[in-house]
């Protein structure tokens, strides 16, 4: 197994990892686009969403509510019913990947109440998000894009680096096995040479016997007969 074959095999593995990473990124983008079917707009009265048309399916969007004065941050999955539809609960913060910080229970209650009341008037086309809570704290809304692109890219890069660094691992393993074999056989080899030399045989014969495991015929340069 030479270095060229190992390099070719490593290049194939890197290509497979890169292709898999690209496919995962595309799938992640598609999933993220489907998870947010609503958009957030800026108006004179603040930020708002457009309720889906009558008879169409509900719209979904993930919004992050931040109250900086109270160190509060939470992601909500918002569902807006279509115009004229039956009132349903608009928000759900269960299973959110974002964390909630701060110990102000009043602020947390007000934010949840605001999110849950977004479907109170199903006839309203524009659904405005409040800029301030009833307690006076300013609240900021932003779209939460649930994407795993960064994690996919980092994982793919780590795998590519590992494959490149370990491309010669089989060759190193083979060399180590050969070295271990030599280390194990060397004492026996030396013992055979010593015994054969003590028997009065020339050095070429013990060497041949030790490597082949049997007596091989040889012809001495001075005309000694063939030995089997």
């Amino acid at each position: 197994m030479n270095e060229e074959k190992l390099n070719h095999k490593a290049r194939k593995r890197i290509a497979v990892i890169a292709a898999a990473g690209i496919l995962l990124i595309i799938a992640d983008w598609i999933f993220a686009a489907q998870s947010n079917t609503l958009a957030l707009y800026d108006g004179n009265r603040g930020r708002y969403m457009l309720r889906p048309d009558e008879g169409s399916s509900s719209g979904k969007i993930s919004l992050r509510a931040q109250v900086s004065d109270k160190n509060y941050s939470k992601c909500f999955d918002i569902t807006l019913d279509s115009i004229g539809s039956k009132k349903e609960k608009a928000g759900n913060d269960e299973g959110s990947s974002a964390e909630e910080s701060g110990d102000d229970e009043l602020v947390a209650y007000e934010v949840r109440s605001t999110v849950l009341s977004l479907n109170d008037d199903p006839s309203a086309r524009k659904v405005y998000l409040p800029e301030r809570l009833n307690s006076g704290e300013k609240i900021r809304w932003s779209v939460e894009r649930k994407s795993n692109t960064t994690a996919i890219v980092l994982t793919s890069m780590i795998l590519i680096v590992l494959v490149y660094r370990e491309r010669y691992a089989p060759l190193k393993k083979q060399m180590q096995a050969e070295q271990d074999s030599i280390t194990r056989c060397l004492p026996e080899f030396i013992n055979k040479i010593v015994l054969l030399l003590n028997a009065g045989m020339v050095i070429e014969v013990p060497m041949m016997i030790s490597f082949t495991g049997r007596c091989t015929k040889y012809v001495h340069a001075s005309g000694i007969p063939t030995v089997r």
Side-chain angles (χ1 to χ4, degrees), residues 195-213:
L195 291 174
L196 293 173
L197 287 175
N198 289 337
M201 302 183 71
V202 293
I203 189 62
E204 289 83 4
V205 176
M207 292 285 289
M208 296 174 66
I209 295 175
S210 299
F211 278 119
T212 60

Side-chain angles (χ1 to χ4, degrees), residues 30-81:
I30 295 174
F31 178 78
Q34 292 178 346
S35 62
N36 286 339
T37 58
L38 297 174
L40 201 59
Y41 304 95
D42 292 319
N44 296 330
R45 293 171 49 189
R47 312 200 80 179
Y48 65 93
M49 299 174 290
L50 293 178
R51 190 179 297 277
D53 295 331
E54 185 176 358
S56 60
S57 59
S58 301
K60 296 181 180 181
I61 189 173
S62 295
L63 294 180
R64 176 174 289 277
Q66 290 180 305
V67 183
S68 56
D69 294 341
K70 296 296 183 179
N71 194 27
Y72 176 90
S73 177
K74 186 75 174 179
C75 180
F76 293 89
D77 294 326
I78 308 296
T79 301
L80 282 186
D81 297 332

